[in-house]
Amino acid sequence: MSALSDLQATLDPSRKSWIESANDSTNDFSIQNLPFGIFSDRHNDARRVGVAIGDQIVDLVALQAAGLLNVAAKTDVFARDTLNDFIALGRDAWRSVRIQVSELLARDTATLRDDAALRARTLVRQAEAQLHLPVQIPGYTDFYSSKEHATNVGAMFRDPKNALLPNWLEIPIGYNGRASSVVVSGTPVRRPNGQLKLPDQERPVFGACRKLDIELETGFVIGAGNALGEPIACEHAEAHIFGMVLLNDWSARDIQQWEYVPLGPFNSKGFATTISPWIVTLDALEPFRVAQPVQEPQPLAYLRHDGAHAFDIRLEVTLRPHQAKQASTISRTNFKHMYWTMAQQLAHHTVSGCNTRVGDLMGSGTISGPTDDSCGSLLELTWNGKKPLELSEGGTRTFIEDGDELTLAGWCQGDGYRVGFGACVGEILPAQR
Amino acid sequence: MSALSDLQATLDPSRKSWIESANDSTNDFSIQNLPFGIFSDRHNDARRVGVAIGDQIVDLVALQAAGLLNVAAKTDVFARDTLNDFIALGRDAWRSVRIQVSELLARDTATLRDDAALRARTLVRQAEAQLHLPVQIPGYTDFYSSKEHATNVGAMFRDPKNALLPNWLEIPIGYNGRASSVVVSGTPVRRPNGQLKLPDQERPVFGACRKLDIELETGFVIGAGNALGEPIACEHAEAHIFGMVLLNDWSARDIQQWEYVPLGPFNSKGFATTISPWIVTLDALEPFRVAQPVQEPQPLAYLRHDGAHAFDIRLEVTLRPHQAKQASTISRTNFKHMYWTMAQQLAHHTVSGCNTRVGDLMGSGTISGPTDDSCGSLLELTWNGKKPLELSEGGTRTFIEDGDELTLAGWCQGDGYRVGFGACVGEILPAQR
């Protein structure tokens, strides 16, 4: 069932769906995509596994109940409030389910297309559904793998002539983040309070963050973990990845600047991290694989892999002030600029023997491109507030203001179709008094 | 049932048990202690909740089945492979169970004492039991709260004249650790491989850690979490703590030194963290509450609490080389030296709005005392290898060698009894080739 030719067929640019909205070349959820998520709706508030297609969601619980989904394992992995049990079945199972759903949704397949009652039971309009955090996340790690971002930050806060720290070109630098506060797109985010060190005062003051920022990132979700003491080799690492999401690593720059020495960011990041609700499988991203940037010096042996391991994913950030009609695009960039690949990140993470588990989330680090307007943070876009951004509606911005709604978007552009992530949105609420 | 007088009775130094080993003034598990853990044994390999007493374990599943334990909630919290469901019942439930167990084990209570068959069903000898990781840990945070430790490290690697960084006296500095690799005492620990930057080479090399170290710490376990956006006030923080463990934050100093700038330690810590198997409740520690060190400057308002919030816990580290008969004590110190309290750590962790969950583990940071022989790491004890330690058997040590077994011990010394943690042990295996 999961033969390579079936997998290839799901990626065929000419495949169309009888769900017409999926065939719109600007819809994130083409039949080539078929990402997995967790949803509920007003007719059925049980959380369950779904697949996005056009403006619809395929309910996998209902599909299986109708006898249309063959899963060669315990049968109850879809009536769950997270994807973890499904993911734990392994790659053959993910592939097989995606292939079966693709075939059912293909224009020439009559099963659902011609049966209104069956369609009513198995499809839910996205507009009527609520999306939930797709995975239970046992561990969240955030990397720092954009050379442009690391260079910008180093130039701003350290030495413009030696902006990259000596270890940066050798190590896919990462740190452990706070898994408990990872929230799904749409969850409002409260501006954090914390210690701020103002330049004119000897001691820090306590108050609301004044330099609230985004970090435009992607994240990957572990599909197969590794045991303690058994590293994942770089050349096998991609087989351990279930899929990708967009990730906004909200950052309180003033809190970060004061707290981060010597053990790294803590309260400046731990208040919230937002991810997009649909996990796009690596299978769906395969046609968009491209070469990563040349790495010089050549990495140590445990970080080497042959072939292309980057992905051409277009990324965009918009900001919409409170009650504004129009959102302003403040950044456009691409995931393919990342210096370190996901495979290298995972190989490095585990080379010490550290174990990973199904559902672990790994953030890419802020994704900044080579130009001034392709930076993944306001810190860089406004050069720490020195160069305010002009919005098309709502004035200027140095950092985020209360009521601002920030949206990350990301998609691979195929020939006439998109493999996209859906929005990763968060509105900022005022700090607690 | 959980009236204050019943709680007080469990702490009465004159209370003795009919299990005579518990009355030995050097046994960690007096009737005043009664810590909770997860065990199995060769007659019953199901993991379940137990309470340590002397050289025995009380099987709470068996106790409840015998009708001797009244728990005012769902009844199946003890037949579990972690304590999380029991902990989630809340403080009244922990107290009530501890009080009931104390009364059943008290010398004057005949119920079990005089019923051999009942004793056979409800008691397991520790020597015949296997102890497991007591909690599922959703998040692991490690603090850095010993002023002596931070001063030693600062003097060694930065500036002896300004050893403490400017933020240290204002912030209970902490960082997110790796929860997946927290293991229970007795689990062998493999020496990690990683990037090492040798002074005579321009680029790092890959290899086995050459400066493997311990960090002597305690940890506390969250008993009641907080919702995202709802900080825990310092004066209420202790009510959120279920209890404490010993914690060895194994550290690869050479990997750490190269990787930690600017985002903190990662592979140098993530390969393993060992905790002791029994969680000692804050109730049992109450008689050992003492004043924390004077904090100057006075912390910001959100970090203030009235009264005494430190605990007088004696700590000891021993090292036993492979096949040596004798272990050498390499450090003796006390938890009461810690500058920042657990309450302050938790208040700081959540002041940004960060949420915590039942089972979260919070490490104290390396506990170093005021004297040269009271340091909690080999880094400090040998001053980064410059002053080797003389062992009573097995030569000298700068850092840990393969086959070394490191043991942390900790206890509160009452008048004729101990409230102790049991050992926190790990033997180092050679690095993977």
Side-chain angles (χ1 to χ4, degrees), chain B residues 100-265:
Chain B
Q100 293 175 71
V101 172
S102 176
E103 287 168 1
L104 284 165
L105 296 174
R107 187 170 270 168
D108 295 339
T109 308
T111 320
L112 284 166
R113 185 193 67 194
D114 297 346
D115 187 333
L118 201 52
R119 286 201 311 274
R121 290 211 303 279
T122 56
L123 290 176
V124 173
R125 288 174 54 83
Q126 286 176 24
E128 291 176 3
Q130 188 175 357
L131 297 170
H132 305 282
L133 195 68
V135 278
Q136 183 267 325
I137 301 169
Y140 164 44
T141 303
D142 196 24
F143 288 89
Y144 183 59
S145 290
S146 158
K147 189 173 174 182
E148 290 80 2
H149 172 68
T151 303
N152 288 337
V153 172
M156 211 177 302
F157 292 114
R158 287 180 291 264
D159 176 4
K161 286 178 188 159
N162 294 290
L164 275 189
L165 288 165
N167 59 16
W168 199 92
L169 290 170
E170 301 285 358
I171 299 178
I173 294 284
Y175 65 102
N176 296 295
R178 182 74 189 169
S180 68
S181 54
V182 177
V183 297
V184 73
S185 176
T187 309
V189 171
R190 192 166 287 285
R191 180 184 298 271
N193 289 311
Q195 290 196 22
L196 316 173
K197 183 70 173 62
L198 306 177
D200 59 344
Q201 296 197 27
E202 201 184 330
R203 289 193 58 192
V205 299
F206 180 79
C209 166
R210 301 170 185 195
K211 290 188 173 180
L212 185 58
D213 200 356
I214 55 158
E215 291 196 343
L216 165 62
E217 303 192 15
T218 59
F220 66 87
V221 174
I222 294 294
N226 64 302
L228 192 62
E230 295 180 12
I232 295 173
C234 199
E235 63 263 38
H236 301 137
E238 283 178 3
H240 288 259
I241 300 175
F242 174 67
M244 291 178 71
V245 292
L246 302 176
L247 185 152
N248 187 347
D249 177 26
W250 302 97
S251 298
R253 298 297 176 197
D254 40 7
I255 296 172
Q256 184 176 357
Q257 184 63 15
W258 171 236
E259 76 172 359
Y260 89 105
V261 176
L263 298 179

Side-chain angles (χ1 to χ4, degrees), chain A residues 146-149 151-152 216 315 330-334 337 366-377 380-383 387 389:
Chain A
S146 158
K147 188 174 175 182
E148 289 80 2
H149 171 69
T151 303
N152 288 337
L216 165 63
L315 298 164
I330 60 174
S331 180
R332 283 193 181 85
T333 184
N334 196 303
H337 299 307
T366 310
I367 302 168
S368 291
T371 58
D372 284 354
D373 59 355
S374 63
C375 292
S377 67
E380 296 161 87
L381 289 165
T382 72
W383 211 253
K387 300 191 297 181
L389 280 183

